[in-house]
């Protein structure tokens, strides 16, 4: 679940009772007032309790969060109403207006009927040259967790740069409009496509075609950029 709360109490846990902390972090027991449940089905009361690891400054002090609003990425603790367990020790995020707008947009896209499927790998790719010099197209067919269709298309037209797009259905990819950074579609690709297609996945006919398909795959990865995980 994702919960918006206001911190009302924060007490540091003795380091001897807080195993597994990262260097430079302290563990804190927090009580907070529930402001909103953004997603999740577990019942929540007016207040919650949880543990969180917070980074410490040079004086060993944590950020001042009392009376501040924070988002929690958590799960309910079975049999213990009002207690939450963060999905990672640091899965608490201070609220900002821009951050909340971004988060709500992502959560909305997750529950959308046409939400991009979870990508688990590359099934097959091939490059087919066109009728004229410089023309051609690479198709990259993806594996998905639920077995639904997903593919990337890279198109070459003459001497200009290639254009590409992705489709998470049987429909043709929207060429020239790749997924924008930090959208759900971008995340499905940037964070889960392998650095190289698996052996045997490139079924292009000739050596030059195989090289072009591989080059197009690397181009797509380069344009997607690095997947940075902000709650690790």
């Amino acid at each position: 679940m994702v919960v918006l709360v206001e911190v009302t109490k924060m007490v540091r846990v003795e380091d001897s009772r807080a195993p597994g902390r990262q260097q430079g972090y302290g563990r804190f027991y927090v009580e907070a007032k529930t402001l909103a449940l953004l997603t999740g089905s577990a019942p929540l009361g007016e207040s919650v309790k949880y543990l969180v690891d917070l980074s410490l400054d040079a004086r060993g002090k944590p950020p001042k969060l009392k009376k501040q609003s924070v988002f929690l990425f958590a799960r309910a603790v079975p049999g213990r109403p009002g207690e939450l367990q963060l999905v990672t020790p640091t899965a608490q995020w201070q609220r900002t207006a821009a951050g909340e707008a971004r988060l709500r947009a992502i959560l909305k896209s997750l529950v959308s009927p046409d939400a991009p499927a979870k990508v688990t790998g590359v099934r097959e790719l091939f490059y087919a040259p066109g009728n004229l010099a410089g023309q051609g197209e690479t198709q990259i067919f993806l594996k998905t967790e639920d077995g639904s269709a997903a593919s990337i298309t890279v198109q070459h037209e003459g001497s200009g740069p290639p254009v590409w797009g992705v489709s998470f259905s049987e429909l043709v990819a929207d060429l020239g409009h790749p997924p924008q950074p930090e959208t759900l579609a971008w995340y499905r690709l940037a964070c889960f496509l392998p650095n190289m297609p698996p052996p045997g996945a490139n079924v292009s006919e000739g050596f030059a075609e195989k090289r072009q398909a591989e080059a197009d795959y690397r181009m797509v990865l380069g344009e997607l950029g690095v997947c940075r995980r902000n709650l690790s």
Side-chain angles (χ1 to χ4, degrees):
M1 65 179 72
V2 181
V3 189
L4 177 62
V5 302
E6 181 182 298
V7 175
T8 57
K9 181 179 179 180
M10 197 167 76
V11 179
R12 184 164 182 179
V13 178
E14 294 178 8
D15 289 350
S16 60
R17 299 177 57 198
R21 290 172 300 106
Q22 298 181 56
Q23 185 70 26
Y25 280 71
R27 185 160 297 164
F28 294 83
Y29 165 81
V30 180
E31 294 181 0
K33 179 172 65 175
T34 305
L35 299 179
L37 175 63
L38 276 69
T39 185
S41 57
L44 277 181
E46 294 181 355
S47 62
V48 296
K49 305 171 184 177
Y50 60 95
L51 295 174
V52 63
D53 288 0
L54 299 173
S55 60
L56 306 174
D57 63 19
R59 299 176 299 158
K61 301 293 185 181
K64 294 181 179 180
L65 295 178
K66 192 171 181 180
K67 297 185 178 180
Q68 297 294 310
S69 299
V70 296
F71 290 106
L72 308 179
F73 300 81
R75 58 180 65 91
V77 179
R80 305 182 76 168
E83 293 191 18
L84 298 178
Q85 180 187 32
L86 301 188
V87 295
T88 70
T90 59
Q92 173 181 279
W93 180 31
Q94 193 160 358
R95 179 192 177 275
T96 64
E100 181 173 357
R102 174 183 166 219
L103 175 59
R104 287 182 181 275
I106 291 171
L107 293 176
K108 183 179 180 181
S109 64
L110 275 169
V111 298
S112 171
D114 59 352
K118 294 180 180 180
V119 172
T120 59
V122 175
R123 178 163 55 88
E124 184 178 278
L125 73 160
F126 65 89
Y127 173 78
N131 295 324
L132 302 177
Q135 287 185 342
E137 187 173 276
T138 292
Q139 290 282 345
I140 304 167
F141 296 99
L142 308 178
K143 296 178 182 178
T144 58
E145 188 176 76
D146 61 3
S148 60
S151 62
I152 297 169
T153 302
V154 182
Q155 191 173 81
H156 298 262
E157 284 288 350
S159 59
V163 294
W164 70 280
V166 61
S167 173
F168 285 95
S169 68
E170 299 288 354
L171 300 177
V172 176
D174 186 11
L175 293 176
H177 298 92
Q180 292 298 301
E182 300 189 1
T183 60
L184 183 58
W186 172 89
Y187 168 74
R188 296 293 191 218
L189 301 178
C191 299
F192 295 98
L193 287 178
N195 289 332
M196 288 292 293
N202 191 344
V203 295
S204 305
E205 288 191 359
F207 178 74
E209 287 81 2
K210 287 183 183 293
R211 288 190 61 182
Q212 186 61 63
E214 291 172 359
D216 287 341
Y217 185 82
R218 291 194 300 271
M219 182 272 294
V220 168
L221 290 186
E223 294 209 355
L224 286 169
V226 177
C227 171
R228 293 182 175 87
R229 300 187 181 272
N230 298 319
L231 293 176
S232 59

